[in-house]
Amino acid sequence: MKGKVEKMAGMFAGLLAMFTMIFSHIAIIGMIFIPLILVMLISFLLPAFALYSHAKTAGYDKPWLAFIPFAQTYLEYVLPRRRFKALFIDTHEREKVALIVILVSTFGTSVIAGLNLIPAFGQILDLALTLFLVAMNWRKMYDYLCTFVDEKDAMTLSVIGVFVPIVYAVYLIVIREKEPEYGEGNYYNVIIPEAPEVNDAPAD
């Protein structure tokens, strides 16, 4: 009888030790990931509320896009009425730039992963993709911030935002009630004329 009791006590102690280890690991994982998830959630919701308010002020007919992840990025690109210049891109058609960036950021890594079988080529494309997305993200934030602050402050905040996105998210809330300057035309529904082509041919 005594042997059975000791055996059961040993099994109970073993189970207790196992559950203690499991829960301690869960607690450690929670301590690491829960704050990370909260930061990610805040980084999404803060700009969402700000972008919604800005879109309504701009007269944009779909301000609710601010609460949809990829559409939120689209809204950040299209609200500023400025010529988009970054890397090899120079255009007024910000809608097309937004769609290209969203598609590349969504599917680019998967496509490049298939090319990693080619020595060095895949790694070069990985680096190129990273530089492309960082440059586009910086210019997106810079143009958006120029709507509310001067170019010097927009430059500083957008560079910080590339490395610490929460700073950009919080600042959008700070300037949520600020009067915007949407660039060429001031209102979103104003059509921006393309610059006329210069004819360099000599006159007869």
Side-chain angles (χ1 to χ4, degrees):
M1 184 72 179
K2 183 178 178 182
K4 289 183 177 180
V5 172
E6 290 177 349
K7 186 176 180 180
M8 290 179 63
M11 290 176 61
F12 179 77
L15 287 172
L16 184 62
M18 183 179 70
F19 281 117
T20 301
M21 182 179 67
I22 291 172
F23 283 115
S24 66
H25 279 76
I26 292 174
I28 292 171
I29 292 171
M31 290 173 61
I32 295 172
F33 286 101
I34 289 176
L36 182 61
I37 292 171
L38 287 175
V39 169
M40 291 173 65
L41 190 62
I42 291 170
S43 296
F44 172 75
L45 288 177
L46 287 182
F49 286 109
L51 286 166
Y52 179 82
S53 177
H54 296 164
K56 290 187 69 175
T57 301
Y60 192 69
D61 61 349
K62 299 179 184 67
W64 46 266
L65 290 176
F67 295 98
I68 302 174
F70 291 111
Q72 183 184 99
T73 300
Y74 178 83
L75 205 56
E76 287 179 277
Y77 274 98
V78 302
L79 282 183
R81 303 299 284 171
R82 289 172 171 79
R83 195 172 190 90
F84 189 91
K85 297 180 180 181
L87 297 177
F88 51 85
I89 298 175
D90 184 356
T91 179
H92 272 307
E93 298 181 353
R94 301 180 66 92
E95 294 85 356
K96 291 181 180 179
V97 175
L99 291 174
I100 289 170
V101 171
I102 290 170
L103 287 173
V104 171
S105 63
T106 304
F107 301 107
T109 302
S110 299
V111 173
I112 292 172
L115 298 172
N116 279 333
L117 297 174
I118 304 173
F121 185 64
Q123 288 74 16
I124 292 172
L125 286 181
D126 273 330
L127 179 60
L129 176 64
T130 301
L131 292 175
F132 174 80
L133 293 178
V134 168
M136 295 297 106
N137 186 43
W138 164 76
R139 186 71 200 199
K140 174 199 72 175
M141 291 189 289
Y142 174 77
D143 286 346
Y144 199 91
L145 290 169
C146 279
T147 304
F148 299 92
V149 299
D150 60 44
E151 292 183 358
K152 183 179 179 181
D153 289 340
M155 177 64 75
T156 302
L157 289 164
S158 59
V159 170
I160 294 173
V162 168
F163 299 100
V164 191
I166 191 69
V167 172
Y168 171 74
V170 169
Y171 195 74
L172 288 186
I173 287 292
V174 171
I175 60 176
R176 187 166 60 92
E177 301 297 331
K178 193 170 182 180
E179 187 68 24
E181 168 58 53
Y182 284 105
E184 304 172 43
N186 288 337
Y187 297 98
Y188 184 81
N189 57 4
V190 171
I191 298 174
I192 302 173
E194 290 287 345
E197 294 184 6
V198 178
N199 188 0
D200 295 328
D204 293 334

